[in-house]
């Protein structure tokens, strides 16, 4: 049975790989960009779901951690000449000027630095619960933006960085999304994951059972920050332009909607909702014709799209309490059952990236 | 720093602090009764400022009429938000996190509607002549507004304290914040009390918002976000659910912010970060706030 499951997982991943290969070579730029965004948003949604859904810590710091990741990757991947061009207002810190690393190193560094920031923030604030934690993390996300605006010699301040090499392609984004999914599933099925769920259900009881609250909460928070950092780095090297206003709470809210819509505490739910919402955001572009450049972030005047977006968020909370999946997962067994039920029809979506 | 300059900063701090206090009261009252951070409270400030802007600008109303209309409209908006987004969840006994997400949704909604309807570009707020002048006392020059704001705030506070402590309505509000279920059993119409709380909180925020517009005469759809977050922090610092606490916290925060910029000009870029650092310190060392009561966690 278990082997069977692994086999199926491998087959799904292979199908996904074929799809990605086909898409990278045959789709036009616009479609590739949307697919990239789907994968990046999946990573970010999983990151937020790990804290908000699985561990019961309501965090709103995603955008801040993304900013850390994005800037780390930007500084590491930008060639010195481009840096020179960017820092015309004030010179860049010479130590950072020479830094240059391949994308993979940049990604790892982005994740690790975000995780470090996550730990530094998490250690004092994770004692808080519920709404207090939400405000504290939201505040920190905003503070990171404030800091990046003020550290002229490192981040080029409010001017932002332009001309990042566009390393992000479908292989990177889908590869990392798949890795995140598999990794998170393993993690959540391990004793750590179970401990986190216990903490979510009842902190006092979990503590009484000998679970180290501080360690587990910080672990989950740091992993979440790590993933958000990687997401931010992928985003930066996809867009090739970043500035501190990109990573505002608005972005966190969008990811939050994806988490809530997919179901707090469901990995497959997050994947489904991140994909649906990303594509929908693009489809909704037709509602507002004035905005032609830029995408989810706010280059100028975001319009109707965001209004619809926020209405969906309210509607989901009011009427669809558990989101699409609740706390359930889309497993092979569940799909099998569904197929059995509708025997005559064709069942199952063939390129969902994950089944457990 | 000369004494004159210091006094000037102090007056500035008091006027900013009283604005924070006014807005923080709304948070604290709502939190006291339904245990919810009303994320939309900050955007209420923005709504009020825009209502006055359009009332006085587009419809050419006298400024005081525009202000009164704006306060009424904003109070209604607060009540509508409660009825539409929070009440359905309360009656379903949804987890508190759902309420919080709903509040975030409402806040996001208001911001984006404002962007669509009012436009994203900053607009300059009107400023009637009486608020413009500058008083000179000795070597200290104080803008009239910096005196008017604390006076208005103090008057409103006295009225509010009277309402909460001396009237029947106030008693039912206090009962609800102690224990909603028991209050219900005692025959208090909890829904009405909550509505009223939102109404009062929003009206105070509206007055705060209008004065905010007068003080910083540039309004844009995201104007309420930072004051909103900071005033929530003010409420927490003072002890959430506690009205004098909200005032204390607001004053402390406003004063601290002004003095930080005045004494350490190099850090002025980090002004917005100050409040959050205070928040962390308070939550670590005195989680119930300066004037808050200690609550033991029940198992």
């Amino acid at each position: 049975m278990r082997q069977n499951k692994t086999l199926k997982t491998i087959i799904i991943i292979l199908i996904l790989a074929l799809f990605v290969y086909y898409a990278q070579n045959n789709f036009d730029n616009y479609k590739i960009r949307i697919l990239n965004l789907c994968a990046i948003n999946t990573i970010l949604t999983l990151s937020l779901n790990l804290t908000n859904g699985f561990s019961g810590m309501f965090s709103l710091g995603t955008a801040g951690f993304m900013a850390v990741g994005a800037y780390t990757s930007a500084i590491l991947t930008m060639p010195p000449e481009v840096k020179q061009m960017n820092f015309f207002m004030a010179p860049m810190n010479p130590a950072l000027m020479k830094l240059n690393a391949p994308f993979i190193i940049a990604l790892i560094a982005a994740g690790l630095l975000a995780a470090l920031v996550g730990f530094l923030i998490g250690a004092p604030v994770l004692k808080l619960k519920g709404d207090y934690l939400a405000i504290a993390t939201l505040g920190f996300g905003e503070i990171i933006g404030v800091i990046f605006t003020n550290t002229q010699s490192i981040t080029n301040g409010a001017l932002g960085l332009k001309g990042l090499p566009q390393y992000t392609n479908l292989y990177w984004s889908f590869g990392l999304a798949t890795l995140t999914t598999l990794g998170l599933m393993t993690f959540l099925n391990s004793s750590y994951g179970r401990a986190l769920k216990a903490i979510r259900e009842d902190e006092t009881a979990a503590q009484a059972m000998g679970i180290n609250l501080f360690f587990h909460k910080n672990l989950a928070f740091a992993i979440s920050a790590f993933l958000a950092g990687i997401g931010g780095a992928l985003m930066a090297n996809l867009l090739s332009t970043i500035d501190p206003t990109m990573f505002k709470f608005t972005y966190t809210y969008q990811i939050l909607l994806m988490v809530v819509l997919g179901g707090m505490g469901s990995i497959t739910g997050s994947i489904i909702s991140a994909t649906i919402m990303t594509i929908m955001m693009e489809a909704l572009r037709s509602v507002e014709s004035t905005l032609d450049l830029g995408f989810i972030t706010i280059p100028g005047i975001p319009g109707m799209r965001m209004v619809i977006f926020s209405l969906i968020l309210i509607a989901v909370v009011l009427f669809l309490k558990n989101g699409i999946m609740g706390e359930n997962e889309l497993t092979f067994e569940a799909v099998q059952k569904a197929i059995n039920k509708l025997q005559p029809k064709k069942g199952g979506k063939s390129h969902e990236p994950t089944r457990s | 720093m000369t004494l004159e300059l210091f006094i000037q900063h102090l007056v500035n701090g008091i006027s900013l602090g009283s604005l924070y206090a006014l807005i923080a009261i709304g948070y604290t009252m709502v939190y006291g009764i339904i245990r919810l951070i009303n994320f939309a409270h900050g955007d209420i400030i923005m709504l009020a400022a825009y209502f006055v802007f359009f009332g006085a600008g587009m419809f050419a109303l006298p400024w005081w009429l525009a202000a009164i209309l704006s306060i009424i409209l904003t109070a209604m908006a607060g009540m509508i938000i409660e009825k539409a987004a929070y009440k359905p969840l309360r009656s379903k006994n949804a987890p508190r996190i759902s309420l919080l997400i709903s509040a975030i949704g409402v806040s996001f909604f208001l911001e984006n509607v404002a962007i669509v309807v009012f436009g994203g570009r900053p607009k300059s707020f009107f400023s009637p002549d009486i608020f413009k002048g500058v008083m000179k006392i000795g070597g200290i020059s104080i803008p009239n507004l910096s005196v008017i704001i604390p006076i208005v705030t103090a008057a409103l506070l006295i009225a509010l304290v009277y309402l909460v402590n001396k009237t029947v309505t106030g008693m039912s509000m206090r009962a609800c914040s102690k224990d909603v279920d028991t209050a219900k059993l005692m025959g208090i119409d909890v829904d009405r009390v909550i509505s009223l709380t939102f109404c009062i909180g929003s009206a105070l925020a509206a007055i705060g918002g209008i004065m905010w517009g007068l003080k910083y005469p540039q309004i844009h759809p995201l104007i309420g976000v930072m004051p909103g977050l900071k005033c929530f922090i003010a409420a927490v610092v003072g002890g959430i659910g506690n009205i004098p606490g909200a005032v204390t916290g607001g004053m402390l925060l406003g004063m601290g912010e002004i003095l930080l910029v005045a004494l350490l000009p190099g850090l002025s870029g980090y002004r917005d970060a100050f409040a959050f650092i205070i928040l962390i310190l308070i939550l670590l060392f005195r989680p119930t706030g300066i004037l808050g009561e200690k609550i033991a966690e029940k198992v």
Side-chain angles (χ1 to χ4, degrees), chain A residues 125 131-132 139 150 250 302 318, chain B residues 92 96 108 115 240 269 276 280:
Chain A
V125 303
D131 14 25
Y132 285 99
N150 284 295
T250 343
L318 288 185
Chain B
K92 264 193 287 189
R96 265 174 63 197
F108 203 26
I115 289 172
I240 196 140
F276 291 99
I280 298 305

Side-chain angles (χ1 to χ4, degrees), chain B:
Chain B
M1 184 182 297
T2 59
L3 186 68
E4 279 89 14
L5 203 59
F6 184 74
I7 292 175
Q8 221 155 320
H9 286 310
L10 216 59
V11 172
N12 221 345
I14 290 174
S15 85
L16 182 65
S18 28
L19 277 184
Y20 282 162
L22 262 190
I23 303 165
I25 289 171
Y27 274 113
T28 234
M29 285 173 72
V30 167
Y31 196 94
I33 295 183
I34 58 174
R35 301 275 178 271
L36 162 77
I37 299 180
N38 185 11
F39 263 81
H41 199 64
D43 302 299
I44 288 279
I45 304 167
M46 175 271 296
L47 274 189
Y50 268 103
F51 284 152
V52 173
F53 174 81
F54 282 108
M58 253 166 77
F59 301 110
L61 299 173
W63 66 268
W64 51 270
L65 188 61
I68 291 172
L69 276 179
S70 156
I71 293 165
I72 294 171
L73 282 175
T74 316
M76 275 164 61
M79 279 152 74
I80 293 170
I81 289 169
E82 193 273 325
K83 285 269 180 289
Y86 306 150
K87 196 173 169 230
L89 286 171
R90 267 193 295 120
S91 47
K92 264 193 287 189
N93 260 333
R96 265 174 63 197
I97 277 312
S98 301
L99 263 173
L100 186 65
I101 299 171
S102 185
I104 291 175
V106 171
S107 154
F108 203 26
F109 174 71
L110 289 178
E111 282 156 23
N112 288 305
V113 166
I115 289 172
V116 170
V117 177
F118 305 141
R121 214 172 273 165
K123 294 189 161 55
S124 49
F125 204 70
F126 80 113
S127 141
D129 291 333
I130 34 167
F131 299 123
K132 266 185 191 154
V134 175
M135 276 190 276
K136 281 218 188 294
I137 306 168
I140 313 158
S141 55
I142 300 166
N144 283 354
L145 200 61
S146 294
V147 180
I148 296 173
I149 291 176
I151 292 175
V152 173
T153 305
L156 288 170
L157 270 179
I158 293 168
L160 183 71
V161 168
Y162 176 79
L163 176 85
V164 171
N165 289 328
K166 301 278 182 226
T167 62
V168 179
T169 322
M171 202 196 283
S172 50
M173 279 168 120
R174 278 181 291 145
C176 285
S177 79
K178 276 266 184 268
D179 188 335
V180 173
D181 291 325
T182 314
K184 217 181 265 170
L185 294 176
M186 304 306 283
I188 292 172
D189 185 349
V190 174
D191 283 334
R192 200 184 70 91
V193 171
I194 292 175
S195 245
L196 191 69
T197 309
F198 270 86
C199 173
I200 295 173
S202 302
L204 291 178
I207 298 169
I210 295 167
M211 294 200 291
W212 190 280
L214 290 168
K215 195 168 162 63
Y216 304 104
Q218 273 260 316
I219 56 171
H220 56 88
L222 296 182
I223 188 189
V225 176
M226 258 305 153
L229 286 175
K230 283 182 192 166
C231 292
F232 173 74
I233 293 172
V236 173
V237 168
I240 196 140
N242 183 321
I243 292 175
V247 178
T248 317
M251 281 295 176
L252 207 71
L253 221 60
M255 204 80 97
E257 212 172 272
I258 295 286
L259 289 183
L260 175 85
V261 177
L263 298 176
L264 305 164
L267 290 179
S268 59
Y270 294 100
R271 185 178 166 173
D272 285 343
F274 173 73
F276 291 99
I277 292 164
I278 296 281
L279 174 72
I280 298 305
L281 291 178
I282 278 283
L283 288 174
L284 284 179
F285 297 112
R286 204 180 153 82
T288 47
I290 297 172
L291 299 182
E293 306 158 30
K294 261 208 150 56
I295 311 159
E297 193 187 343
K298 283 179 232 163
V299 177

Side-chain angles (χ1 to χ4, degrees), chain A residues 8 33 74 82 84 121 139 148 184 196 205 245 294 312 344 346 356:
Chain A
K8 279 183 191 162
R33 188 191 179 107
V82 181
Q84 196 91 57
I121 293 171
F148 282 4
L184 219 51
L196 285 175
T245 54
I312 298 174
K346 256 177 110 182
S356 69

Side-chain angles (χ1 to χ4, degrees), chain A residues 35-338:
Chain A
L35 282 175
N36 269 321
L37 283 176
C38 284
I40 295 171
N41 280 336
T42 300
I43 297 176
L44 294 169
T45 309
L46 287 173
S47 142
L48 195 62
N49 208 344
L50 175 62
T51 49
N52 294 22
F54 289 103
S55 328
M57 305 181 284
F58 200 88
S59 153
L60 291 174
T62 307
F65 299 131
M66 278 175 74
V68 174
Y71 271 96
T72 311
S73 172
I75 289 167
L76 284 178
T77 54
M78 278 164 86
E81 311 84 70
V82 181
K83 283 180 191 163
Q84 196 91 57
M85 268 163 61
N86 266 301
F87 286 81
F88 57 86
M89 292 285 282
M92 192 184 194
N93 195 324
L96 296 172
M97 197 75 191
K98 294 195 203 84
L99 275 183
N100 208 329
F103 192 38
I104 177 87
I105 308 274
L107 279 175
I108 295 171
L112 287 179
L113 210 62
L116 178 70
V117 174
F119 174 75
L120 291 179
I121 293 171
V125 303
L126 285 182
K127 259 203 250 168
L128 312 176
K129 287 191 195 99
D131 14 25
Y132 285 99
L133 182 63
I135 281 279
T137 46
L138 184 67
F140 267 115
E142 293 298 291
I143 287 180
I144 291 176
V146 172
I147 293 174
F148 282 4
T149 315
N150 284 295
T151 45
Q152 177 69 33
S153 66
I154 301 172
T155 60
N156 205 17
L159 295 171
L161 296 169
K162 295 182 189 69
L164 275 68
Q166 288 181 296
Y167 288 138
T168 304
N169 55 24
L170 288 180
Y171 303 124
W172 280 114
S173 59
F174 271 78
L176 285 171
T178 314
L179 218 62
T180 306
T181 312
L182 294 176
L184 219 51
M185 277 180 169
T186 319
F187 176 75
L188 288 169
N189 274 325
S190 70
S191 64
Y192 298 110
R194 283 158 210 267
L196 285 175
K197 284 181 195 165
I199 293 174
R200 174 188 66 189
E201 296 305 328
D202 190 331
E203 217 163 83
T204 322
Q207 198 170 19
M209 300 303 288
I211 292 173
N212 184 341
L213 290 188
F214 180 82
F215 171 75
H216 283 95
K217 281 179 157 188
N218 268 299
L219 181 69
F221 201 69
I223 293 177
S224 166
F226 179 84
L227 293 176
I230 290 201
L234 284 171
M235 188 74 90
N237 287 84
L238 174 71
L239 300 177
S240 97
T241 305
I242 54 173
D243 65 72
T245 54
M246 255 176 71
F247 305 100
K248 282 257 165 202
F249 59 93
T250 343
Y251 207 97
T252 309
Y253 289 174
Q254 291 178 34
I255 304 295
L256 178 68
L257 168 55
M258 293 176 195
V259 172
V260 176
L261 179 66
M264 308 243 282
S266 168
I267 291 181
T268 36
S270 288
I271 297 166
I272 296 170
S273 74
T275 313
I276 293 176
M277 284 313 301
T278 311
I279 293 173
M280 213 181 87
M281 285 298 282
E282 286 304 319
L284 279 178
R285 201 173 282 287
S286 55
V287 181
E288 47 177 64
S289 44
T290 46
L291 191 76
D292 49 348
L293 173 98
F295 70 121
I296 302 178
T297 51
I298 327 159
I301 307 165
M304 238 10 233
R305 223 152 49 112
M306 287 302 185
V307 176
I308 296 173
F309 203 84
S310 43
L311 279 177
I312 298 174
L313 179 57
I314 302 174
V316 169
V317 182
L318 288 185
F319 305 114
L320 193 68
K321 209 174 96 198
N322 293 324
I324 299 174
M325 298 293 294
E327 277 180 34
N328 306 316
E329 296 292 352
L330 189 64
T331 54
F332 289 121
E333 291 83 38
V335 175
Q336 192 67 47
K337 260 186 210 159

